[in-house]
Amino acid sequence: MKKILKIFAITNVLILALVAVAGFFLYQNYNKGKKETKKVALEELDMQVYGVTKEDISEDVIYPLYLSGAEKNVETYAYDSTNDIYNVKTSKHVKADLEEKKKKTKYTIDNCLWAYNPFGTHDFSLYLYLKATDVTSLRYTVHVEDENIPDFTRTANVDASLIGTKEIECLIAGLVPGVQNYIILKLENDSGKIIKRIVYSLTPPKTKGEVQNQLILTDGPSLTERSNGLYMFFGHDAENKKMRPAIYLFDNSGILRGSIPIVKGETCQVLFLNGCMLYNYSGTNFASVSPLGQVVKIYQLSGYRSVNDYVYDGFGNIVTIATKKGASSIEDQLVSINLETGKTAHLVDMRSLLKKVKKKSTDSSDWIGLNSVVWAGSDSVLVSARELSGILKIRNISSVNPTIEYIIGDASLWKKQGKTKGLLTKYVDPNNTTTLNTDPFLSQYGQSSLALSTIDEQYPSNETQYYLTMFDNNYKKKKTDTSYYYKYYVDETAGTYDLAKTFKIPYSTYESSVQEYAGNIIVNSGTDCSVGEYDTEGGLISQLKYNVETYTYRVMKFDFKNFWFS
């Protein structure tokens, strides 16, 4: 019996020892994983920060890439106009040409197939194709020999259809225009070990128009970490005839890293759907573009013009604010485009829903100014009516009789405009005696950029109780030069709305946006010509100032994961 107990005790000790050793290694791997994740995050911050040094290429052999001349070794494609770029047949032809070239030569890391912006949709980018064994990812760095320009490092998003074929096909985004770029390619295996490292060089063309290559960066007092990603500048200096119409991409240091050409008008939104990026490239046309830049589908708005904001409804349609062709009033219609058939369907005519309000308006043309739309589920949307300083929830939008469920706005203002029913009331805390008989907060005035909040708060959030953020332009009020970030807590069941959070932001009359992103808040003020990243308490983390003749309509930030990067 004693012998059995002794064996049992020894066995337990051995098991405990093995568990301890396994736990130690798991802990070590966990810490190693955390450190690696942090290292990658710092590398992709696009900033000169402690812990990240610029790549040293002094001892590398440089393989030059040329776009023209006798030494040309990069494929190039010419387009007569921006309209020619947004042509599905043209894009298919370029894709077919690249496929043919892939078959003719055995391309390797030392002899890649390169094409400069082959589909015309992403300036300062390179298409890359090669074959490699035992490689699972491609990490690259765009390096410029300028201390004011940080390295741009990402893991390329390799075409998913090629997984297991030993082929790598991707887009190298983030080149700096007009200067020599060193493109450092690193082929990695499953363990993250670099199998091969090689450096190419290329000088992309200079930018067209008056766009700045580098914005002015200022650090704010907040100690919160800024987020990774690229800023998309929509309607950047749109009314300046010397500015090339485009969506411009800037990194955290304010370095221009790319541009997406458009025909005209103001693009104010992008949607990532079915593996593609969808955006309007003119007042009446949308394009669905693949990660490589290929234009895979074009949608034309039939019978309407002047696309403003738009949203995906979750059922194969985009819902957009528009102006009816030939109408005397603008931005007062909601229409949809079916992404499968491409057909346009009319949804809501605000002139019918707000007949009395329109009659009282002193401006028969821009009487409502719809500038933002949010999908609210169950065939409903929330829209921002700038000129009426109101937020309206419209239900049954796809039926023959859409109706206004409620309005969020100053009651006295709406009473003057001829609307008294359907207004939500401001929430008053019954335990706070100081506000029981007073106005607890000022409602928004001339707001823009609505969004349902994604940052957790203390109150419940569901279909009837939710948070709503906006840029409170505050431009309708007399003698004011201050705008605000506003976050409402809306309780549809109780019929109330409360100001859950607010802080001052740079003033803007019309052109502006706020976006909750990666736990922070991105704020663009078109009047102030600035875009800032704030913490949730309103502390400024950093700010980029841009010099334009007119304004920038909106700025949003995206990490482009599972699109250009992985």
Side-chain angles (χ1 to χ4, degrees):
M1 183 67 179
K2 287 182 179 180
K3 187 177 181 180
I4 294 172
L5 289 173
K6 186 177 180 181
I7 294 171
F8 180 75
I10 293 171
T11 304
N12 281 343
V13 169
L14 287 172
I15 291 171
L16 288 171
L18 288 171
V19 170
V21 170
F24 173 77
F25 281 109
L26 284 171
Y27 180 74
Q28 289 288 89
N29 289 332
Y30 172 74
N31 278 341
K32 184 180 178 182
K34 282 185 70 177
K35 288 179 181 178
E36 188 63 31
T37 301
K38 188 173 183 180
K39 179 187 174 185
V40 169
L42 283 174
E43 284 182 345
E44 297 184 0
L45 194 58
D46 310 328
M47 298 286 297
Q48 295 175 342
V49 293
Y50 178 78
V52 177
T53 56
K54 292 192 70 167
E55 289 273 3
D56 181 5
I57 59 170
S58 59
E59 297 184 4
D60 285 287
V61 176
I62 310 299
Y63 296 83
L65 299 174
Y66 300 99
L67 299 177
S68 61
E71 296 175 300
K72 180 182 176 183
N73 54 2
V74 177
E75 299 296 328
T76 57
Y77 298 85
Y79 295 90
D80 295 331
S81 65
T82 307
N83 272 320
D84 190 31
I85 290 172
Y86 292 103
N87 184 304
V88 173
K89 288 184 178 179
T90 303
S91 229
K92 276 185 178 179
H93 177 76
V94 172
K95 178 63 174 173
D97 188 62
L98 290 172
E99 290 297 323
E100 280 299 310
K101 287 179 169 59
K102 284 162 60 176
K103 296 173 184 176
K104 290 180 180 179
T105 303
K106 186 178 180 181
Y107 292 103
T108 65
I109 185 68
D110 302 295
N111 177 37
C112 307
L113 171 58
W114 293 100
Y116 180 77
N117 185 20
F119 302 101
T121 56
H122 191 157
D123 301 317
F124 323 128
S125 70
L126 279 165
Y127 165 92
L128 169 65
Y129 173 81
L130 60 94
K131 285 190 175 184
T133 305
D134 299 325
V135 170
T136 57
S137 66
L138 170 66
R139 192 154 176 83
Y140 72 90
T141 297
V142 176
H143 174 85
V144 175
E145 293 285 81
D146 183 336
E147 289 304 316
N148 295 316
I149 300 178
D151 284 350
F152 183 89
T153 301
R154 297 291 192 276
T155 299
N157 182 30
V158 178
D159 187 345
S161 66
L162 298 178
I163 293 176
T165 64
K166 300 180 181 180
E167 296 176 271
I168 291 177
E169 185 179 41
C170 61
L171 198 74
I172 303 295
L175 303 184
V176 181
V179 298
Q180 190 169 42
N181 289 244
Y182 296 93
I183 304 148
I184 305 163
L185 302 181
K186 299 173 184 176
L187 294 177
E188 299 178 345
N189 62 14
D190 281 329
S191 304
K193 182 181 178 181
I194 298 173
I195 296 175
K196 177 79 174 181
R197 182 183 189 272
I198 192 168
V199 183
Y200 290 89
S201 67
L202 174 75
T203 301
K206 293 181 179 179
T207 54
K208 298 176 182 178
E210 295 187 340
V211 65
Q212 293 171 267
N213 280 359
Q214 186 166 5
L215 310 181
I216 300 170
L217 172 66
T218 305
D219 287 329
S222 175
L223 298 178
T224 301
E225 292 183 4
R226 74 194 74 205
S227 58
N228 290 23
L230 290 171
Y231 292 100
M232 297 192 85
F233 279 55
F234 301 104
H236 190 42
D237 209 3
E239 295 184 13
N240 179 1
K241 292 182 179 180
K242 295 179 181 179
M243 178 66 77
R244 184 193 186 204
I247 303 168
Y248 290 95
L249 302 162
F250 291 90
D251 67 18
N252 274 330
S253 293
I255 308 298
L256 181 64
R257 293 290 180 178
S259 65
I260 298 169
I262 62 172
V263 175
K264 60 181 179 179
E266 292 178 353
T267 301
C268 62
Q269 184 66 269
V270 295
L271 301 175
F272 295 93
L273 299 169
N274 304 319
C276 290
M277 181 165 65
L278 186 141
Y279 55 92
N280 67 299
Y281 64 90
S282 74
T284 57
N285 294 84
F286 293 79
S288 182
V289 178
S290 77
L292 293 177
Q294 181 182 354
V295 178
V296 296
K297 198 158 186 176
I298 295 293
Y299 302 95
Q300 183 169 12
L301 202 60
S302 178
Y304 299 86
R305 60 180 176 83
S306 277
V307 168
N308 198 292
D309 196 20
Y310 42 91
V311 67
Y312 181 60
D313 71 353
F315 300 99
N317 307 285
I318 55 172
V319 176
T320 180
I321 297 166
T323 297
K324 191 172 184 179
K325 285 184 177 179
S328 59
S329 58
I330 63 172
E331 294 179 341
D332 54 10
Q333 306 293 312
L334 290 178
V335 299
S336 68
I337 299 177
N338 185 276
L339 297 179
E340 185 176 346
T341 66
K343 290 185 178 180
T344 302
H346 180 260
L347 299 175
V348 179
D349 185 345
M350 298 306 297
R351 298 172 302 180
S352 299
L353 289 185
L354 293 170
K355 285 182 181 179
K356 291 182 180 180
V357 175
K358 187 179 185 307
K359 283 183 180 180
K360 283 183 172 287
S361 175
T362 56
D363 187 341
S364 60
S365 175
D366 193 10
W367 67 278
I368 187 169
L370 295 184
N371 61 8
S372 191
V373 58
V374 175
W375 185 253
S378 303
D379 204 28
S380 300
V381 292
L382 288 158
V383 294
S384 165
R386 181 194 62 236
E387 295 303 311
L388 303 179
S389 292
I391 300 165
L392 295 77
K393 184 174 183 183
I394 306 171
R395 63 182 178 184
N396 302 325
I397 62 168
S398 61
S399 71
V400 293
N401 291 310
T403 58
I404 296 174
E405 186 173 341
Y406 57 77
I407 299 170
I408 299 172
D410 185 88
S412 60
L413 182 65
W414 277 87
K415 187 175 181 180
K416 290 178 183 177
Q417 292 170 157
K419 185 72 174 176
T420 57
K421 293 182 179 180
L423 287 163
L424 296 190
T425 58
K426 296 176 184 177
Y427 173 78
V428 178
D429 186 353
N431 298 316
N432 189 345
T433 57
T434 60
T435 59
L436 285 176
N437 298 311
T438 60
D439 193 353
F441 58 88
L442 293 175
S443 299
Q444 80 286 348
Y445 282 81
Q447 73 293 320
S448 58
S449 191
L450 292 185
L452 293 176
S453 175
T454 56
I455 297 177
D456 292 337
E457 293 287 349
Q458 59 181 328
Y459 302 114
S461 182
N462 50 51
E463 285 189 2
T464 61
Q465 296 168 314
Y466 59 89
Y467 289 92
L468 186 66
T469 63
M470 73 203 73
F471 192 114
D472 178 18
N473 298 77
N474 211 24
Y475 87 101
K476 285 260 185 180
K477 300 185 71 176
K478 295 179 180 178
K479 297 180 181 180
T480 183
D481 59 355
T482 303
S483 293
Y484 296 91
Y485 165 81
Y486 257 28
K487 176 183 277 190
Y488 284 151
Y489 176 67
V490 181
D491 188 335
E492 294 181 348
T493 304
T496 61
Y497 67 105
D498 190 14
L499 184 58
K501 184 165 289 185
T502 182
F503 56 84
K504 290 182 180 181
I505 52 180
Y507 180 69
S508 186
T509 51
Y510 291 98
E511 300 81 18
S512 52
S513 60
V514 295
Q515 175 199 16
E516 288 189 348
Y517 174 79
N520 295 333
I521 299 164
I522 311 300
V523 176
N524 172 61
S525 169
T527 301
D528 188 60
C529 294
S530 69
V531 55
E533 183 161 2
Y534 294 78
D535 61 34
T536 56
E537 299 305 313
L540 180 64
I541 302 168
S542 64
Q543 185 182 70
L544 293 172
K545 291 282 287 186
Y546 48 88
N547 182 25
V548 294
E549 282 190 7
T550 55
Y551 58 85
T552 295
Y553 186 64
R554 278 187 183 178
V555 177
M556 302 180 78
K557 201 173 190 181
F558 299 97
D559 61 15
F560 296 100
K561 296 289 186 181
N562 302 314
F563 192 69
W564 295 324
F565 316 122
S566 64

Short mmCIF file of all heavy atoms in Angstrom, two decimals, residues 77-81 83-97 118-120 294-295:
data_model
loop_
_atom_site.label_atom_id
_atom_site.label_comp_id
_atom_site.label_asym_id
_atom_site.label_seq_id
_atom_site.Cartn_x
_atom_site.Cartn_y
_atom_site.Cartn_z
N TYR A 77 -0.46 51.56 -67.57
CA TYR A 77 -1.67 51.61 -68.38
C TYR A 77 -2.18 53.05 -68.43
O TYR A 77 -2.22 53.72 -67.40
CB TYR A 77 -2.75 50.69 -67.82
CG TYR A 77 -2.34 49.23 -67.80
CD1 TYR A 77 -1.59 48.72 -66.73
CD2 TYR A 77 -2.66 48.38 -68.85
CE1 TYR A 77 -1.20 47.39 -66.71
CE2 TYR A 77 -2.27 47.04 -68.83
CZ TYR A 77 -1.54 46.55 -67.76
OH TYR A 77 -1.14 45.24 -67.74
N ALA A 78 -2.55 53.49 -69.63
CA ALA A 78 -2.98 54.88 -69.81
C ALA A 78 -4.50 54.97 -69.87
O ALA A 78 -5.17 54.09 -70.43
CB ALA A 78 -2.37 55.46 -71.09
N TYR A 79 -5.02 56.04 -69.30
CA TYR A 79 -6.46 56.31 -69.32
C TYR A 79 -6.70 57.72 -69.85
O TYR A 79 -6.01 58.67 -69.45
CB TYR A 79 -7.07 56.16 -67.92
CG TYR A 79 -7.01 54.74 -67.40
CD1 TYR A 79 -5.91 54.29 -66.65
CD2 TYR A 79 -8.02 53.84 -67.68
CE1 TYR A 79 -5.84 52.99 -66.19
CE2 TYR A 79 -7.96 52.53 -67.22
CZ TYR A 79 -6.87 52.11 -66.48
OH TYR A 79 -6.80 50.82 -66.03
N ASP A 80 -7.66 57.84 -70.74
CA ASP A 80 -7.95 59.14 -71.35
C ASP A 80 -8.57 60.12 -70.36
O ASP A 80 -8.36 61.33 -70.46
CB ASP A 80 -8.89 58.97 -72.56
CG ASP A 80 -8.24 58.18 -73.68
OD1 ASP A 80 -6.99 58.23 -73.80
OD2 ASP A 80 -8.96 57.50 -74.42
N SER A 81 -9.35 59.59 -69.42
CA SER A 81 -10.05 60.47 -68.46
C SER A 81 -10.43 59.65 -67.24
O SER A 81 -10.30 58.41 -67.23
CB SER A 81 -11.31 61.06 -69.09
OG SER A 81 -12.25 60.02 -69.38
N ASN A 83 -13.45 59.22 -66.26
CA ASN A 83 -14.59 58.41 -66.69
C ASN A 83 -14.13 57.11 -67.34
O ASN A 83 -14.77 56.07 -67.22
CB ASN A 83 -15.46 59.20 -67.68
CG ASN A 83 -16.51 60.04 -66.97
OD1 ASN A 83 -17.11 59.60 -66.00
ND2 ASN A 83 -16.71 61.26 -67.44
N ASP A 84 -12.99 57.17 -68.04
CA ASP A 84 -12.44 55.98 -68.69
C ASP A 84 -11.97 54.98 -67.65
O ASP A 84 -12.02 53.76 -67.87
CB ASP A 84 -11.28 56.39 -69.59
CG ASP A 84 -10.81 55.24 -70.49
OD1 ASP A 84 -11.66 54.40 -70.84
OD2 ASP A 84 -9.62 55.18 -70.81
N ILE A 85 -11.51 55.47 -66.49
CA ILE A 85 -11.09 54.58 -65.40
C ILE A 85 -12.27 53.78 -64.87
O ILE A 85 -12.17 52.57 -64.67
CB ILE A 85 -10.46 55.41 -64.25
CG1 ILE A 85 -9.11 55.98 -64.68
CG2 ILE A 85 -10.31 54.56 -62.99
CD1 ILE A 85 -8.52 56.96 -63.70
N TYR A 86 -13.40 54.47 -64.69
CA TYR A 86 -14.59 53.82 -64.12
C TYR A 86 -15.42 53.18 -65.23
O TYR A 86 -16.55 53.58 -65.51
CB TYR A 86 -15.39 54.81 -63.29
CG TYR A 86 -14.63 55.21 -62.04
CD1 TYR A 86 -13.98 56.44 -61.95
CD2 TYR A 86 -14.53 54.32 -60.97
CE1 TYR A 86 -13.26 56.78 -60.81
CE2 TYR A 86 -13.80 54.66 -59.83
CZ TYR A 86 -13.17 55.89 -59.76
OH TYR A 86 -12.45 56.21 -58.64
N ASN A 87 -14.81 52.19 -65.84
CA ASN A 87 -15.42 51.44 -66.94
C ASN A 87 -15.12 49.96 -66.70
O ASN A 87 -13.96 49.55 -66.67
CB ASN A 87 -14.83 51.92 -68.27
CG ASN A 87 -15.48 51.25 -69.46
OD1 ASN A 87 -15.51 50.03 -69.57
ND2 ASN A 87 -16.00 52.06 -70.38
N VAL A 88 -16.16 49.18 -66.48
CA VAL A 88 -15.99 47.76 -66.14
C VAL A 88 -15.25 47.01 -67.25
O VAL A 88 -14.36 46.18 -66.97
CB VAL A 88 -17.35 47.11 -65.86
CG1 VAL A 88 -17.21 45.60 -65.67
CG2 VAL A 88 -17.99 47.73 -64.62
N LYS A 89 -15.56 47.30 -68.51
CA LYS A 89 -14.91 46.61 -69.62
C LYS A 89 -13.42 46.93 -69.68
O LYS A 89 -12.59 46.04 -69.90
CB LYS A 89 -15.58 47.00 -70.95
CG LYS A 89 -16.97 46.40 -71.14
CD LYS A 89 -17.53 46.75 -72.51
CE LYS A 89 -18.91 46.12 -72.71
NZ LYS A 89 -19.48 46.47 -74.04
N THR A 90 -13.08 48.20 -69.48
CA THR A 90 -11.67 48.60 -69.48
C THR A 90 -10.92 47.90 -68.36
O THR A 90 -9.81 47.40 -68.54
CB THR A 90 -11.55 50.12 -69.32
OG1 THR A 90 -12.27 50.77 -70.36
CG2 THR A 90 -10.10 50.57 -69.36
N SER A 91 -11.54 47.86 -67.18
CA SER A 91 -10.92 47.23 -66.03
C SER A 91 -10.73 45.72 -66.25
O SER A 91 -9.70 45.15 -65.88
CB SER A 91 -11.78 47.47 -64.79
OG SER A 91 -11.01 47.94 -63.71
N LYS A 92 -11.71 45.09 -66.88
CA LYS A 92 -11.61 43.66 -67.20
C LYS A 92 -10.47 43.40 -68.16
O LYS A 92 -9.74 42.41 -68.06
CB LYS A 92 -12.93 43.15 -67.80
CG LYS A 92 -13.98 42.75 -66.78
CD LYS A 92 -15.19 42.16 -67.48
CE LYS A 92 -16.24 41.71 -66.48
NZ LYS A 92 -17.44 41.14 -67.16
N HIS A 93 -10.32 44.30 -69.12
CA HIS A 93 -9.25 44.17 -70.12
C HIS A 93 -7.88 44.23 -69.45
O HIS A 93 -6.99 43.43 -69.77
CB HIS A 93 -9.39 45.26 -71.17
CG HIS A 93 -8.29 45.23 -72.19
ND1 HIS A 93 -8.24 44.32 -73.22
CD2 HIS A 93 -7.17 46.02 -72.33
CE1 HIS A 93 -7.15 44.52 -73.95
NE2 HIS A 93 -6.48 45.56 -73.43
N VAL A 94 -7.70 45.15 -68.52
CA VAL A 94 -6.43 45.28 -67.80
C VAL A 94 -6.16 44.02 -66.97
O VAL A 94 -5.05 43.50 -66.94
CB VAL A 94 -6.42 46.53 -66.91
CG1 VAL A 94 -5.18 46.56 -66.01
CG2 VAL A 94 -6.48 47.80 -67.76
N LYS A 95 -7.20 43.54 -66.29
CA LYS A 95 -7.06 42.32 -65.48
C LYS A 95 -6.66 41.13 -66.35
O LYS A 95 -5.77 40.33 -65.98
CB LYS A 95 -8.38 42.03 -64.76
CG LYS A 95 -8.39 40.77 -63.91
CD LYS A 95 -7.41 40.82 -62.76
CE LYS A 95 -7.56 39.62 -61.86
NZ LYS A 95 -6.51 39.55 -60.82
N ALA A 96 -7.27 41.00 -67.52
CA ALA A 96 -6.95 39.91 -68.44
C ALA A 96 -5.51 40.02 -68.93
O ALA A 96 -4.81 39.02 -69.07
CB ALA A 96 -7.92 39.92 -69.62
N ASP A 97 -5.08 41.24 -69.18
CA ASP A 97 -3.71 41.46 -69.63
C ASP A 97 -2.70 41.05 -68.55
O ASP A 97 -1.68 40.42 -68.85
CB ASP A 97 -3.51 42.94 -69.99
CG ASP A 97 -2.17 43.20 -70.64
OD1 ASP A 97 -1.91 42.65 -71.71
OD2 ASP A 97 -1.35 43.95 -70.04
N PRO A 118 -2.47 49.91 -62.00
CA PRO A 118 -2.94 49.41 -63.31
C PRO A 118 -4.39 49.75 -63.65
O PRO A 118 -4.73 49.93 -64.81
CB PRO A 118 -2.73 47.90 -63.19
CG PRO A 118 -2.73 47.62 -61.73
CD PRO A 118 -2.09 48.81 -61.10
N PHE A 119 -5.25 49.82 -62.63
CA PHE A 119 -6.66 50.08 -62.90
C PHE A 119 -7.02 51.57 -62.78
O PHE A 119 -8.18 51.94 -62.97
CB PHE A 119 -7.54 49.25 -61.95
CG PHE A 119 -7.29 47.77 -62.06
CD1 PHE A 119 -6.49 47.11 -61.13
CD2 PHE A 119 -7.80 47.04 -63.12
CE1 PHE A 119 -6.24 45.75 -61.22
CE2 PHE A 119 -7.55 45.68 -63.24
CZ PHE A 119 -6.76 45.03 -62.29
N GLY A 120 -6.04 52.38 -62.41
CA GLY A 120 -6.26 53.83 -62.35
C GLY A 120 -6.99 54.34 -61.14
O GLY A 120 -7.22 55.54 -61.00
N GLN A 294 -9.46 46.93 -59.22
CA GLN A 294 -10.30 46.68 -60.40
C GLN A 294 -11.73 47.15 -60.18
O GLN A 294 -12.33 46.89 -59.13
CB GLN A 294 -10.31 45.19 -60.73
CG GLN A 294 -11.14 44.85 -61.97
CD GLN A 294 -11.19 43.37 -62.27
OE1 GLN A 294 -10.51 42.57 -61.60
NE2 GLN A 294 -12.00 42.97 -63.24
N VAL A 295 -12.28 47.85 -61.15
CA VAL A 295 -13.68 48.28 -61.10
C VAL A 295 -14.54 47.10 -61.52
O VAL A 295 -14.52 46.68 -62.69
CB VAL A 295 -13.92 49.49 -62.04
CG1 VAL A 295 -15.38 49.89 -62.02
CG2 VAL A 295 -13.03 50.66 -61.65
#
